[in-house]
Amino acid sequence: MDAAVSLSGLLSEEGRRNPYEFYARLHEIGEAIPLGPADRYAAIVCGYEAVDQVLCDPGFRVPDAEYRDSSETWWRDHPVVRTLLTAFPNVNGADHARVRRLFGRAFTARRLAGLEPYIIQSTNRWLDRLAELGADGRPVDFMAGFAVALPVDVIGELLGVPEPDRAWFPSRVADFDAVLELGQRPLREVKAANTAAEELSAYFTGLLASRRADPGDDLISDLVRLNDPGLLSESELLHSLIIMFNAGFRATSKFFGNGLALLIEHPDATAALRADPSLAPAYVEEILRYEPPLHFAVRYAAQDTEIAGVPIAAGRSVLVLAGAANRDPRRFPEPDTFDPTRTDNRHLTFSAGPHFCLGAALGRLEGRLALPRLVSRFPVLTLATEPGERRTLMLRGFEELPVHLSSRETATIS
Ligand code: HEM
């Protein structure tokens, strides 16, 4: 590989802070770039075509228990990894399809449509709260006050997690998710993730038991009923539920923070959205393309294969950079320009192929409903301080985003 570009470039402080310069150099080299035999990955896949192809090809598998076992078995001692590897997002082939089908059946378009009034109500509630906290020009943290609060409420409502329990989750789930980051994680993070996995497991075991005893009209009750014939083992159901809950708010929270920072940076675009809320879907797509919450996925080759001319031996894994694909100049004109009027914006932020995000429609719906309400409710939105740096490539976003806002009395979109 080009001496000027190695994986350590991406993993460095600078690379994590601004991966886009690294991606631009990758695009000059090619669609896929081989790494050395000692590297963890056989190649980096960065071009749009190649990323799409790997994600859609069932011959490239998500790293599952079998893959982990081929190089190490220590992971079985870690509750967080056991939870991850028995949940359907980290399973392949027929087993993945079997569990995903059940979750997909419970997660219908009708259920989503039924959730819309709740999303609007919750959006307005959290906007009111922001207005209250930011009254008299006080700075308010948009992340805690809205970007996390709304998606937790929405996934909690969908699954049937009681409202008083919801504030308990964000810090635990953040601990759990820390192990998903690219590169080695420090032991203290792994320990915190294990504790979080055990706590989440205890919580959802209790919730499953209570819905079995007393079903409601929430998704967990549906899952329990649909699973009556025993299609899923208890650990498949429990662990998939935990991951579904986590996935259901973490990326969406980061999306809102990244989105607001972009809107503040682009006041003309924000004014256009304020004037015409029907533009919201295009804004959501461009925020997702330009600042994706998830920059990468990993896949391993089931057999000897090649990608964009780079040979990949059976059992070797590749680093698939959707964040780079979204900035591929061969696919997107002026890829480094934030342009919500962009057409043909089929980014890869929700992945592609068998593991395409199961909650994409919900994530999009939350964005489409909340963003126009946010900018309409607050005609003035500015940063209170420089936002902290984004340093992760998985769940990339702000921890805090202090803003000043000036408020209208009530939301103008009901
Ligand atoms: C802006 C918001 C979101 C983004 C950017 C996002 C992104 C992603 C990505 C990239 C994947 C695939 C990873 C891979 O290919 O290895 C994925 C999978 C998944 N997402 Fe999302 N997601 C979002 C919101 C949601 C929501 C709201 C839910 C739940 C309601 C959800 C549930 C899932 C599930 C269950 C999977 C696993 C699918 C499978 O492996 O079959 N996501 N998401």
Side-chain angles (χ1 to χ4, degrees), residues 245-272:
F245 181 79
N246 296 3
F249 78 90
R250 288 280 284 157
T252 315
S253 303
K254 299 301 181 190
F255 157 82
F256 277 124
N258 295 344
L260 180 61
L262 281 167
L263 291 174
I264 291 175
E265 232 176 89
H266 296 86
D268 291 348
T270 307

Short mmCIF file of all heavy atoms in Angstrom, two decimals, residues 245-272:
data_model
loop_
_atom_site.label_atom_id
_atom_site.label_comp_id
_atom_site.label_asym_id
_atom_site.label_seq_id
_atom_site.Cartn_x
_atom_site.Cartn_y
_atom_site.Cartn_z
N PHE A 245 -32.74 -2.30 20.69
CA PHE A 245 -32.99 -1.11 21.50
C PHE A 245 -31.82 -0.13 21.39
O PHE A 245 -32.01 1.06 21.15
CB PHE A 245 -33.21 -1.50 22.97
CG PHE A 245 -33.49 -0.31 23.84
CD1 PHE A 245 -34.75 0.27 23.86
CD2 PHE A 245 -32.49 0.25 24.61
CE1 PHE A 245 -35.00 1.39 24.64
CE2 PHE A 245 -32.73 1.37 25.38
CZ PHE A 245 -33.98 1.94 25.41
N ASN A 246 -30.59 -0.65 21.51
CA ASN A 246 -29.41 0.22 21.42
C ASN A 246 -29.34 0.89 20.05
O ASN A 246 -29.15 2.10 19.95
CB ASN A 246 -28.12 -0.59 21.63
CG ASN A 246 -28.03 -1.20 23.01
OD1 ASN A 246 -28.94 -1.07 23.81
ND2 ASN A 246 -26.92 -1.86 23.30
N ALA A 247 -29.49 0.06 19.00
CA ALA A 247 -29.41 0.59 17.63
C ALA A 247 -30.52 1.61 17.40
O ALA A 247 -30.36 2.55 16.63
CB ALA A 247 -29.54 -0.55 16.63
N GLY A 248 -31.61 1.42 18.12
CA GLY A 248 -32.78 2.26 17.91
C GLY A 248 -32.62 3.70 18.35
O GLY A 248 -33.41 4.55 17.96
N PHE A 249 -31.62 4.00 19.17
CA PHE A 249 -31.49 5.42 19.52
C PHE A 249 -30.08 5.99 19.38
O PHE A 249 -29.92 7.19 19.18
CB PHE A 249 -32.04 5.71 20.92
CG PHE A 249 -31.14 5.31 22.07
CD1 PHE A 249 -30.22 6.21 22.60
CD2 PHE A 249 -31.24 4.05 22.64
CE1 PHE A 249 -29.41 5.85 23.68
CE2 PHE A 249 -30.43 3.69 23.71
CZ PHE A 249 -29.51 4.59 24.22
N ARG A 250 -29.05 5.13 19.42
CA ARG A 250 -27.70 5.69 19.44
C ARG A 250 -27.35 6.44 18.14
O ARG A 250 -26.88 7.56 18.18
CB ARG A 250 -26.69 4.58 19.70
CG ARG A 250 -26.74 4.08 21.12
CD ARG A 250 -25.99 4.98 22.07
NE ARG A 250 -24.57 4.78 21.94
CZ ARG A 250 -23.64 5.66 22.29
NH1 ARG A 250 -24.01 6.82 22.78
NH2 ARG A 250 -22.38 5.40 22.13
N ALA A 251 -27.58 5.79 17.01
CA ALA A 251 -27.21 6.43 15.74
C ALA A 251 -28.09 7.65 15.47
O ALA A 251 -27.63 8.68 14.98
CB ALA A 251 -27.32 5.43 14.59
N THR A 252 -29.36 7.53 15.82
CA THR A 252 -30.28 8.64 15.56
C THR A 252 -29.89 9.86 16.40
O THR A 252 -29.96 11.00 15.93
CB THR A 252 -31.74 8.20 15.86
OG1 THR A 252 -31.94 6.91 15.29
CG2 THR A 252 -32.74 9.16 15.29
N SER A 253 -29.43 9.62 17.64
CA SER A 253 -28.97 10.73 18.48
C SER A 253 -27.80 11.45 17.83
O SER A 253 -27.75 12.68 17.77
CB SER A 253 -28.46 10.23 19.84
OG SER A 253 -29.44 9.51 20.48
N LYS A 254 -26.83 10.65 17.34
CA LYS A 254 -25.66 11.26 16.71
C LYS A 254 -26.08 12.01 15.44
O LYS A 254 -25.56 13.07 15.14
CB LYS A 254 -24.61 10.19 16.38
CG LYS A 254 -24.08 9.45 17.60
CD LYS A 254 -23.44 10.38 18.62
CE LYS A 254 -22.88 9.64 19.81
NZ LYS A 254 -22.48 10.54 20.90
N PHE A 255 -27.04 11.43 14.71
CA PHE A 255 -27.55 12.09 13.51
C PHE A 255 -28.07 13.49 13.85
O PHE A 255 -27.79 14.47 13.16
CB PHE A 255 -28.67 11.23 12.87
CG PHE A 255 -29.60 12.02 12.00
CD1 PHE A 255 -29.25 12.32 10.69
CD2 PHE A 255 -30.81 12.49 12.50
CE1 PHE A 255 -30.10 13.08 9.89
CE2 PHE A 255 -31.66 13.25 11.70
CZ PHE A 255 -31.31 13.55 10.40
N PHE A 256 -28.85 13.59 14.94
CA PHE A 256 -29.43 14.91 15.28
C PHE A 256 -28.34 15.91 15.64
O PHE A 256 -28.41 17.08 15.23
CB PHE A 256 -30.44 14.78 16.43
CG PHE A 256 -31.81 14.35 15.96
CD1 PHE A 256 -32.43 13.23 16.49
CD2 PHE A 256 -32.49 15.08 14.99
CE1 PHE A 256 -33.69 12.82 16.06
CE2 PHE A 256 -33.76 14.69 14.55
CZ PHE A 256 -34.35 13.55 15.08
N GLY A 257 -27.34 15.47 16.39
CA GLY A 257 -26.25 16.39 16.75
C GLY A 257 -25.47 16.84 15.52
O GLY A 257 -25.21 18.03 15.33
N ASN A 258 -25.10 15.87 14.68
CA ASN A 258 -24.37 16.20 13.45
C ASN A 258 -25.21 17.11 12.56
O ASN A 258 -24.71 18.05 11.94
CB ASN A 258 -24.01 14.92 12.68
CG ASN A 258 -23.04 14.03 13.45
OD1 ASN A 258 -22.40 14.47 14.40
ND2 ASN A 258 -22.95 12.76 13.06
N GLY A 259 -26.51 16.83 12.53
CA GLY A 259 -27.42 17.61 11.68
C GLY A 259 -27.53 19.04 12.17
O GLY A 259 -27.43 19.99 11.37
N LEU A 260 -27.68 19.22 13.48
CA LEU A 260 -27.82 20.59 13.97
C LEU A 260 -26.53 21.38 13.73
O LEU A 260 -26.59 22.55 13.33
CB LEU A 260 -28.19 20.62 15.46
CG LEU A 260 -28.34 22.06 15.98
CD1 LEU A 260 -29.46 22.81 15.24
CD2 LEU A 260 -28.59 22.11 17.47
N ALA A 261 -25.39 20.75 13.94
CA ALA A 261 -24.12 21.46 13.70
C ALA A 261 -24.05 21.92 12.23
O ALA A 261 -23.63 23.04 11.94
CB ALA A 261 -22.93 20.57 14.05
N LEU A 262 -24.49 21.06 11.31
CA LEU A 262 -24.47 21.44 9.89
C LEU A 262 -25.45 22.57 9.60
O LEU A 262 -25.15 23.49 8.83
CB LEU A 262 -24.80 20.22 9.02
CG LEU A 262 -23.65 19.26 8.81
CD1 LEU A 262 -24.14 17.94 8.21
CD2 LEU A 262 -22.58 19.89 7.91
N LEU A 263 -26.61 22.51 10.23
CA LEU A 263 -27.60 23.56 9.99
C LEU A 263 -27.09 24.91 10.51
O LEU A 263 -27.29 25.95 9.88
CB LEU A 263 -28.95 23.19 10.65
CG LEU A 263 -29.68 22.01 10.00
CD1 LEU A 263 -30.93 21.64 10.81
CD2 LEU A 263 -30.07 22.31 8.55
N ILE A 264 -26.43 24.87 11.65
CA ILE A 264 -25.89 26.12 12.21
C ILE A 264 -24.79 26.67 11.30
O ILE A 264 -24.69 27.87 11.06
CB ILE A 264 -25.37 25.89 13.66
CG1 ILE A 264 -26.56 25.64 14.59
CG2 ILE A 264 -24.54 27.09 14.14
CD1 ILE A 264 -26.19 25.29 16.03
N GLU A 265 -24.01 25.75 10.74
CA GLU A 265 -22.93 26.17 9.83
C GLU A 265 -23.46 26.71 8.51
O GLU A 265 -22.75 27.42 7.80
CB GLU A 265 -22.10 24.91 9.50
CG GLU A 265 -20.62 25.01 9.70
CD GLU A 265 -20.02 23.64 9.42
OE1 GLU A 265 -19.67 23.37 8.26
OE2 GLU A 265 -19.95 22.81 10.37
N HIS A 266 -24.68 26.34 8.15
CA HIS A 266 -25.24 26.72 6.84
C HIS A 266 -26.57 27.45 7.03
O HIS A 266 -27.64 26.89 6.78
CB HIS A 266 -25.43 25.47 5.96
CG HIS A 266 -24.15 24.78 5.63
ND1 HIS A 266 -23.58 23.84 6.45
CD2 HIS A 266 -23.31 24.93 4.58
CE1 HIS A 266 -22.44 23.42 5.92
NE2 HIS A 266 -22.26 24.08 4.79
N PRO A 267 -26.49 28.73 7.46
CA PRO A 267 -27.73 29.46 7.78
C PRO A 267 -28.66 29.63 6.59
O PRO A 267 -29.89 29.63 6.78
CB PRO A 267 -27.23 30.81 8.31
CG PRO A 267 -25.77 30.87 8.06
CD PRO A 267 -25.27 29.50 7.75
N ASP A 268 -28.12 29.73 5.37
CA ASP A 268 -29.03 29.90 4.22
C ASP A 268 -29.85 28.64 3.99
O ASP A 268 -31.05 28.70 3.72
CB ASP A 268 -28.24 30.24 2.95
CG ASP A 268 -27.62 31.63 3.05
OD1 ASP A 268 -28.00 32.37 3.99
OD2 ASP A 268 -26.76 31.96 2.21
N ALA A 269 -29.16 27.50 4.12
CA ALA A 269 -29.88 26.23 3.94
C ALA A 269 -30.93 26.08 5.05
O ALA A 269 -32.05 25.61 4.81
CB ALA A 269 -28.89 25.07 3.99
N THR A 270 -30.59 26.52 6.24
CA THR A 270 -31.53 26.41 7.36
C THR A 270 -32.74 27.31 7.12
O THR A 270 -33.89 26.91 7.37
CB THR A 270 -30.83 26.79 8.69
OG1 THR A 270 -29.66 25.99 8.78
CG2 THR A 270 -31.71 26.54 9.88
N ALA A 271 -32.49 28.51 6.60
CA ALA A 271 -33.60 29.43 6.32
C ALA A 271 -34.52 28.80 5.27
O ALA A 271 -35.76 28.91 5.37
CB ALA A 271 -33.05 30.77 5.82
N ALA A 272 -33.94 28.12 4.29
CA ALA A 272 -34.76 27.49 3.25
C ALA A 272 -35.64 26.39 3.85
O ALA A 272 -36.82 26.26 3.51
CB ALA A 272 -33.87 26.92 2.15
#
